[in-house]
Amino acid sequence: SNAIARYSLFNPKTMAWENRAVNSTQKKEALNLGLHHQFNDSWSAGLSYSYVFDRHDAKNYQTNSLDKDMSINALINRLRPLNTYQIDVNFSKKKWDVNLSAQIFSGMSERYFTDSRFVVLGLGANYRVNDKLLTYVNIENLTDTAYENRAHSVYGLGAYPQPGRNFLFGMKYSF
């Protein structure tokens, strides 16, 4: 009931960004749904959805009525994706475990993000050489998508870019 934070807001009168301390009552709406299904001994899939929305009743703060994107509520909710979807397809047979995943971010304001939605794919594979040795490879951002999952009002579009395609190879040995 007494959230305190600092936000950078654009003041059209001075044409500059200003830091504002905000004391407010905060209410968060969130929804998380998940579903997993095992098709047979080898194949399974999962689907999840997440939604977060903040509402602030700011004390001693005037919103800029000329720009609906500059209120505290709008700013807080525009600096992160409102919707996140996760889709996983898994295959497991004998010594192999393989996972293909898609993460979808949507509901972003193009005022703060380089696009209103992003799709990021990942691929992982494990191979059990024996009971003690496991080898693995993970490829994150398979399609080398340029994306952000967080924004900053002052630094502009693409302020917090996420990693491009990257690889992780390894082995895990149990003693």
Side-chain angles (χ1 to χ4, degrees), residues 15-30:
M15 298 302 289
W17 289 92
E18 299 174 357
N19 288 327
R20 300 276 177 92
V22 177
N23 185 331
S24 68
T25 301
Q26 178 185 26
K27 291 182 183 177
K28 229 176 232 220
E29 295 175 1

Side-chain angles (χ1 to χ4, degrees), residues 64-82:
N64 181 349
S65 60
L66 299 176
D67 188 348
K68 66 180 171 82
D69 277 349
M70 294 313 296
S71 73
I72 292 298
N73 287 328
L75 184 62
I76 290 168
N77 292 302
R78 301 267 193 297
L79 297 179
R80 66 165 181 256
L82 289 179

Side-chain angles (χ1 to χ4, degrees), residues 6-7 21 37 41 47 51 61 72 79 85 87 89 93 98-99 103 121-122 133 139 144 146 150 152 156 171 174:
R6 188 191 90 194
Y7 296 97
H37 182 71
D41 288 343
L47 176 65
Y51 167 84
Y61 177 79
I72 292 298
L79 297 179
Y85 305 85
I87 302 166
V89 177
K93 186 140 185 151
V98 180
N99 170 268
Q103 194 168 25
L121 301 176
L133 181 63
I139 307 170
D144 203 22
R150 182 174 166 222
H152 195 283
M171 291 190 301
S174 300

Side-chain angles (χ1 to χ4, degrees), residues 52 79-84 105-108 113 148-150:
V52 177
L79 297 179
R80 66 165 181 256
L82 289 179
N83 307 293
T84 304
F105 302 102
S106 71
M108 282 102 79
F113 290 89
E148 315 91 48
N149 60 6
R150 182 174 166 222

Side-chain angles (χ1 to χ4, degrees), residues 12 32 38 49 56 75 79 94 112 131 134 161 164:
N32 293 300
Q38 186 77 38
Y49 170 72
H56 281 258
L75 184 62
L79 297 179
K94 296 184 180 177
Y112 302 107
D131 289 342
L134 174 81

Side-chain angles (χ1 to χ4, degrees), residues 35-47 88-93 96-98:
L35 177 67
H36 185 268
H37 182 71
Q38 186 77 38
F39 296 102
N40 57 37
D41 288 343
S42 297
W43 291 95
S44 67
L47 176 65
D88 292 295
V89 177
N90 307 297
F91 174 79
S92 186
K93 186 140 185 151
W96 285 98
D97 293 311
V98 180

